[in-house]
Amino acid sequence: QVQLMESGGGLVQLGGLLRSPCVAFRIVFSRHSMGWYRQAPGKQRGLVATITRGGSPNYADTVKDRFTISRDNADNTVYLQMNSLRPEDTAVYYCKSSSAFSDDVGLLLGSWGQGTQVTVSS
């Protein structure tokens, strides 16, 4: 059973920054692509960023040039660095893994973390 645990959320002001790690347990981490999603109240859960097994990142247009996804296979951890935060970034952020040997971090397959709250005030 895969378990993902996010942390690092919190309350920041406009323009602030946060760094959220997601640690994976009971997994051969290098066999999984990883991603981050977010969901604001009344909104659909949306993709923020992904990183492949080989370390190639992709970003949603709304966070491109502000957020950075990275991974450390030695620590079984994927990170989301969030800079220049805006109130519209306020959401619960969820860590997501692909199934093994896959680079598909879509909604259906793989495992989810329980989320960490990010709140940005103006």
Side-chain angles (χ1 to χ4, degrees):
Q1 182 68 45
V2 177
Q3 184 177 3
L4 306 175
M5 297 186 65
E6 312 97 328
S7 59
L11 174 63
V12 298
Q13 288 190 321
L14 171 68
L17 60 90
L18 290 169
R19 188 171 190 248
S20 291
C22 170
V23 183
F25 300 88
R26 295 184 291 277
I27 191 174
V28 181
F29 189 69
S30 62
R31 295 179 180 175
H32 299 258
S33 291
M34 303 296 298
W36 288 89
Y37 286 75
R38 67 186 182 186
Q39 188 166 25
K43 301 288 188 179
Q44 185 177 335
R45 187 171 299 190
L47 183 66
V48 175
T50 63
I51 187 164
T52 67
R53 291 168 289 167
S56 181
N58 287 282
Y59 302 94
D61 288 342
T62 51
V63 306
K64 192 175 183 180
D65 300 322
R66 297 189 298 120
F67 290 11
T68 303
I69 188 171
S70 61
R71 66 189 297 158
D72 186 338
N73 288 351
D75 292 338
N76 280 18
T77 303
V78 61
Y79 299 90
L80 187 66
Q81 178 69 47
M82 296 173 278
N83 298 333
S84 301
L85 283 161
R86 306 164 180 169
E88 53 263 41
D89 295 317
T90 296
V92 177
Y93 283 70
Y94 296 92
C95 184
K96 175 73 167 59
S97 69
S98 72
S99 57
F101 306 106
S102 176
D103 286 322
D104 182 3
V105 197
L107 289 168
L108 296 181
L109 301 180
S111 298
W112 292 93
Q114 293 183 288
T116 187
Q117 177 71 49
V118 171
T119 302
V120 186
S121 67
S122 59

